[in-house]
Amino acid sequence: MEKKLYTISVYSENNLGLLNRISTIFVKRHINIESLTVSASEIENVSRFIVVVNMTEEAVKKIIGQLEKQVEVIQAYYHTDDEIIFTETAMFKFKSDLLFENPQIQNIIKENNMNIVTVNRTFFIVEKAGRRHEIDAIYDAFAPFGIAQFVRSGRVAISKEAMNIRKILGEIVQ
Amino acid sequence: MKKTERIIGAEAVVRSLIAEGVDVAYGYPGGAIMPIYDELYKYQDQLHHVLTRHEQGATHAAQGFARTSGRVGVAFATSGPGATNLITGIADAQIDSTPMVCITGQVASHLLGTDAFQETDVISISSPVTKWNVQVTKAEDIPAAIAKAFYIAKSGRPGPVLIDITKDAQLGELDYSYEKCTVVRSYKPIPETNIEKVKEAATLINAAKKPMIIFGQGVILGGAESELKALVEKAGIPSAWTVLGLSALATNHPLNVGMVGMHGHYGPNKLTNECDLLIAIGMRFDDRVTGDLSKYAKQAKVIHFDIDPAEVDKNVKTDVAVIGDSKDTLAKVLEFIDEKEHSSWLQEFRSFDKIEFEKVINGQLNPTKEGLTMGEVLQGINKATHDDAVIVSDVGQHQMMAVRYANFTHTRSNVTSGGLGTMGFALPAAIGAKMGAPSRHVVAIIGDGGFQMTCQELGTILQTGTAVKIVVLNNEFLGMVRQWQQLFFDKRYASTEMINPNFVKLAEAYSIPAKKIVKREDLQGAIDEMIACETSYFLEVMVEKEDNVFPMVPTGSSVSDIRLE
Ligand SMILES: Cc1ncc(C[n+]2csc(CCOP(=O)(O)OP(=O)(O)O)c2C)c(N)n1
């Protein structure tokens, strides 16, 4: 079976130790996590993990089973890229001098509709939210000029289909 | 308003346990758990605390108790080394789905993260081997944490739970009242059964010409022994067991065809690759059961009954998965099953049995060699206990011999470390097993190697007066490893030979009546004496040094390539 990028969404109780339990499930099976994001969800006290992995569908199904087995996991889903809306955010920092020495930098910023986060005498920071390949392309464009710092967030994603977490929680409580 | 009482956290721990029906617990004290021990002292007439000689022993005793009684086993330890000493038993309980609640003391909450004396992050350490764990830092959170722990440990697929309680939470005051936990909103212990799947399973069963059942501990954990028996009998299906499924169906049942897996019986292993329908019930297709998965039951359709959806398709692809509690799903499928007999198919098992008897079993039970065999010791125990002892085995050759040759009449009679294969399990587990089933004969079968891993628990037997029968099958080797060295490493016996102490003297040092047997003619008499003895008893039997366990499916081979010699 062919390996693919899958975005796993895990809804769970907001519990300190759970990150450890969830990451162990991947580590134990030598599954490389491409990206991991933990945040609040649309429901109070419910966290949402978004884990991006590159694996076969058969393997990802087993992972979902192991995740859902955790007592504090409410539900886990997996999606392919065309089933979700997703994005990542990247920030780039440069020395301010570069902006005057290399007008191309300004062009890259404009062409890519990047946000200027801050500018001062010594440095400036620009950001971009987008797909991985867009950010990679910007990185390649900037690289020759000397990037002082670069950081990219994990993927955040929202599924096109509904995720009935409230309903699941309601059913269990009744 | 609920009625509450102002008490300290440590008292709340003990009162909560009593509220859960706990009347015996195992453990070992230390600085960070002293407030709880102080309360255990106060409540000793309601909750009997058994001081083991090592925290690992406390977990295995709790496991043994859980396995024979069906109740939750409880173990205590202090922080730091006390807590880390629990880990082997917790891992064992996790892989064998044994309900257990472990309570550890922890340094005071203001010291957490400071590398305080005897601080270990037991929550992180135990996370991968617990069903659930929690650290409690406030006295008022204790009753709810314990209630949740018991609910999680025993519901659904059971497992071990750990509660780590900081010393300040033990000493702090709370308004105590206790309410049992009946729901955890993120947790569904018993998934819903899809009745369509039940019907599909029944259709396959009714159509099968050569069906075979493999049942595991899921039958025992679900209390589904009579449903299993009814299904087996109505559909006339030859039924084999995993190591942990053993005793769910009586050994002498005409459709019981023996054990599957590495040292299982010849027939069920061979015929796994000839059946047209494999019905797995509460078992998880462990690699020791399946051998090479790419050559496992490829010709058969597979039905999998399990309570844990994560087990479905994990190792073996199933055609129909019936998810749910085994007692319920088996009862449901029974309604749709036709009455059948498969006598010529059953005969195929019996033909393999004959070959196995001649090549393997006969030599064990009716040896012509001078040296005693492990099989004849088990046979002697069967005889003395009328096939009705609780057999607690350790890990190694003697374990495989115990599960192969012990006969069982009642369920929950086979206690062994299946998934983890923990040497040192049997002696402490037997103490718990006897406390969980006081009216039964509890016989521990242990190798000379494994006995020395936890033989300090003889002290626990001395102190509690638990009438455990201990049989050490002494081959002066780490026999199972030696067997592999003989078969796969050209007899290079690297660190497997054992120079042993005088075991009889050791047992006697703990005031346990003891005997050593070297001759066949003395064996049955000694076993009878041991079983008749009111107290604990220690029997060392010198067995053939270089005997091997057969049949054997070598690692990585197909189950149908099982070797008889
Ligand atoms: C804690 C632990 N360490 C190591 C092993 C590996 N091991 C499996 S069987 C065995 C030999 C057991 O020897 P003994 O207890 O004398 O029993 P025998 O096989 O001779 O019956 C060993 C070392 C294990 N299962 N558990």
Side-chain angles (χ1 to χ4, degrees):
Chain A
M1 253 211 264
E2 166 202 20
K3 281 195 182 177
K4 238 190 193 170
L5 273 195
Y6 288 98
T7 300
I8 295 174
S9 301
V10 184
Y11 283 87
S12 75
E13 296 294 353
N14 177 12
N15 176 317
L16 215 59
L18 200 57
L19 176 60
N20 192 353
R21 282 183 177 270
I22 287 184
S23 62
T24 306
I25 290 173
F26 292 89
V27 173
K28 188 176 162 185
R29 295 172 178 80
H30 287 237
I31 296 162
N32 205 11
I33 295 179
E34 307 278 332
S35 112
L36 167 67
T37 311
V38 193
S39 69
S41 73
E42 63 276 18
I43 304 165
E44 208 183 330
N45 289 325
V46 170
S47 304
R48 183 163 173 180
F49 291 70
I50 294 179
V51 191
V52 183
V53 291
N54 184 20
M55 59 202 300
T56 65
E57 184 165 14
E58 191 183 342
V60 82
K61 276 187 188 161
K62 290 183 189 177
I63 289 293
I64 295 292
Q66 294 301 324
L67 289 165
E68 289 190 339
K69 201 163 145 166
Q70 296 300 322
V71 169
E72 281 163 337
V73 166
I74 299 160
Q75 193 78 27
Y77 303 86
Y78 70 96
H79 294 104
T80 54
D81 284 359
D82 50 352
E83 295 168 326
I84 49 173
I85 307 299
F86 61 97
T87 186
E88 298 175 352
T89 297
M91 292 205 287
F92 299 81
K93 178 181 171 184
F94 300 94
K95 282 200 199 125
S96 289
D97 308 351
L98 285 179
L99 204 53
F100 306 105
E101 288 162 16
N102 299 291
Q104 298 99 306
I105 292 191
Q106 296 193 33
N107 291 340
I108 298 168
I109 295 171
K110 270 191 220 144
E111 277 161 19
N112 290 292
N113 286 322
M114 297 182 78
N115 278 334
I116 298 172
V117 183
T118 188
V119 186
N120 63 34
R121 253 174 236 270
T122 46
F123 65 85
F124 70 97
I125 295 173
V126 290
E127 84 181 344
K128 171 76 188 172
R131 298 285 175 99
R132 171 71 61 98
H133 65 90
E134 296 173 85
I135 289 166
D136 285 347
I138 295 170
Y139 182 95
D140 291 343
F142 277 142
F145 305 106
I147 302 166
Q149 280 188 43
F150 168 72
V151 64
R152 179 169 56 207
S153 75
R155 172 183 286 195
V156 292
I158 283 185
S159 66
K160 295 179 186 170
E161 59 155 10
M163 293 193 187
N164 296 320
I165 300 302
R166 281 203 180 83
K167 190 163 161 262
I168 292 164
L169 286 176
E171 274 170 8
I172 293 174
V173 172
Q174 272 150 30
Chain B
M1 266 278 292
K2 250 185 294 166
K3 228 184 89 198
T4 63
E5 249 179 281
R6 197 84 189 149
I7 58 174
I8 62 164
E11 181 169 0
V13 170
V14 178
R15 298 253 305 252
S16 301
L17 293 177
I18 293 168
E20 286 292 340
V22 177
D23 51 16
V24 60
Y26 307 87
Y28 211 96
I33 198 166
M34 286 188 62
I36 292 176
Y37 272 78
D38 195 44
E39 297 297 330
L40 284 167
Y41 183 79
K42 254 204 254 166
Y43 287 93
Q44 57 184 294
D45 54 338
Q46 291 174 65
L47 202 172
H48 174 47
H49 177 273
V50 175
L51 175 67
T52 55
R53 293 302 184 265
H54 188 293
E55 290 85 352
Q56 183 186 347
T59 54
H60 294 329
Q63 289 179 276
F65 175 83
R67 293 272 279 269
T68 53
S69 70
R71 293 161 64 193
V72 178
V74 178
F76 290 102
T78 190
S79 66
T84 55
N85 275 347
L86 296 177
I87 297 299
T88 302
I90 294 176
D92 196 291
Q94 170 82 345
I95 200 162
D96 281 353
S97 305
T98 308
M100 177 162 77
V101 169
C102 293
I103 296 175
T104 49
Q106 180 58 281
V107 301
S109 54
H110 72 277
L111 293 173
L112 286 170
T114 66
D115 302 327
F117 178 64
Q118 295 194 328
E119 181 191 0
T120 53
D121 180 4
V122 70
I123 293 296
S124 292
I125 294 174
S126 66
S127 281
V129 291
T130 46
K131 185 171 171 186
W132 181 71
N133 61 8
V134 68
Q135 185 174 68
V136 180
T137 55
K138 292 197 215 81
E140 66 259 35
D141 294 340
I142 287 174
I146 292 182
K148 194 170 165 184
F150 273 81
Y151 173 63
I152 291 169
K154 69 187 173 199
S155 59
R157 180 174 180 174
V161 166
L162 182 138
I163 312 173
D164 190 37
I165 309 178
T166 59
K167 200 162 176 184
D168 50 324
Q170 297 172 40
L171 293 169
E173 288 190 354
L174 73 154
D175 293 318
Y176 175 80
S177 73
Y178 196 77
E179 225 174 294
K180 283 205 180 183
C181 175
T182 52
V183 64
V184 171
R185 69 172 190 167
S186 57
Y187 167 62
K188 201 166 190 191
I190 303 176
E192 264 144 55
T193 305
N194 179 346
I195 193 72
E196 289 312 312
K197 294 289 169 191
V198 172
K199 289 180 188 162
E200 279 175 44
T203 307
L204 286 182
I205 293 172
N206 290 336
K209 299 269 176 299
K210 297 175 163 192
M212 169 175 163
I213 286 174
I214 302 177
F215 60 90
Q217 196 193 195
V219 171
I220 299 170
L221 293 171
E225 294 88 345
S226 50
E227 287 76 8
L228 172 74
K229 184 162 175 273
L231 170 67
V232 168
E233 288 173 359
K234 187 169 179 189
I237 303 176
S239 299
W241 34 275
T242 67
V243 165
L244 291 189
L246 176 55
S247 84
L249 185 70
T251 313
N252 67 4
H253 191 284
L255 288 161
N256 185 334
V257 294
M259 178 165 74
V260 289
M262 183 174 273
H263 291 293
H265 292 95
Y266 197 44
N269 273 310
K270 279 277 194 197
L271 294 172
T272 295
N273 282 354
E274 286 187 31
C275 63
D276 62 357
L277 178 66
L278 189 64
I279 307 156
I281 306 174
M283 57 83 81
R284 58 190 177 82
F285 294 109
D286 170 86
D287 59 292
R288 290 283 153 115
V289 161
T290 63
D292 182 356
L293 271 176
S294 69
K295 295 181 190 135
Y296 184 79
K298 287 295 171 195
Q299 79 296 340
K301 289 228 182 316
V302 178
I303 303 175
H304 195 169
F305 288 85
D306 210 287
I307 198 167
D308 182 355
E311 290 301 340
V312 173
D313 294 341
K314 189 182 82 176
N315 296 330
V316 170
K317 194 99 189 96
T318 51
D319 295 279
V320 179
V322 185
I323 296 301
D325 183 37
S326 54
K327 192 170 180 70
D328 179 51
T329 53
L330 293 184
K332 285 197 171 108
V333 82
L334 203 57
E335 291 174 33
F336 302 101
I337 297 271
D338 301 337
E339 262 179 63
K340 276 234 168 90
E341 269 179 44
H342 295 281
S343 22
S344 63
W345 170 232
L346 180 64
Q347 209 40 55
E348 291 189 39
F349 286 86
R350 297 308 173 206
S351 312
F352 280 115
D353 285 352
K354 257 192 215 113
I355 302 171
E356 183 176 351
F357 185 83
E358 277 155 28
K359 296 246 169 179
V360 179
I361 299 173
N362 196 31
Q364 276 293 317
L365 300 185
N366 308 300
T368 46
K369 292 184 280 196
E370 197 187 324
L372 287 161
T373 69
M374 294 185 180
E376 59 186 320
V377 179
L378 268 306
Q379 182 171 243
I381 293 167
N382 289 337
K383 205 165 152 197
T385 61
H386 309 287
D387 294 348
D388 201 17
V390 172
I391 301 288
V392 185
S393 51
D394 209 71
V395 173
Q397 291 185 312
H398 62 280
Q399 173 189 37
M400 292 298 111
M401 292 298 195
V403 295
R404 286 179 53 80
Y405 293 98
N407 293 339
F408 294 96
T409 308
H410 286 103
T411 186
R412 290 191 174 278
S413 297
N414 165 55
V415 179
T416 196
S417 166
L420 202 65
T422 306
M423 281 174 74
F425 173 85
L427 186 62
I431 298 170
K434 179 70 183 173
M435 292 181 174
S439 62
R440 309 220 24 216
H441 293 297
V442 173
V443 184
I445 307 290
I446 319 182
D448 47 317
F451 179 65
Q452 291 178 80
M453 281 208 171
T454 49
C455 60
Q456 69 278 11
E457 300 305 340
L458 292 174
T460 310
I461 293 172
L462 166 66
Q463 188 158 352
T464 56
T466 310
V468 171
K469 316 297 167 164
I470 307 152
V471 178
V472 167
L473 299 179
N474 187 355
N475 52 13
E476 300 179 288
F477 269 109
L478 297 174
M480 187 56 96
V481 178
R482 189 211 52 75
Q483 173 169 347
W484 285 43
Q485 288 170 335
Q486 180 187 339
L487 299 175
F488 311 117
F489 294 89
D490 283 335
K491 280 200 174 189
R492 289 187 296 276
Y493 291 164
S495 294
T496 45
E497 202 164 354
M498 300 275 274
I499 297 189
N500 287 320
N502 184 326
F503 288 128
V504 167
K505 270 195 184 163
L506 183 69
E508 282 171 352
Y510 288 95
S511 306
I512 298 171
K515 199 170 244 177
K516 174 173 174 170
I517 297 300
V518 289
K519 286 208 272 325
R520 183 160 291 123
E521 57 263 36
D522 300 331
L523 180 65
Q524 191 64 47
I527 291 173
D528 292 344
E529 181 181 315
M530 168 179 83
I531 296 300
C533 181
E534 295 278 306
T535 66
S536 57
Y537 193 100
F538 180 91
L539 187 65
E540 176 187 9
V541 183
M542 300 307 291
V543 293
E544 191 73 39
K545 284 180 72 157
E546 297 191 30
D547 229 355
N548 288 333
V549 187
F550 281 110
M552 179 174 193
V553 180
T555 321
S557 298
S558 163
V559 287
S560 46
D561 292 335
I562 182 168
R563 289 170 57 171
L564 287 172
E565 53 201 352

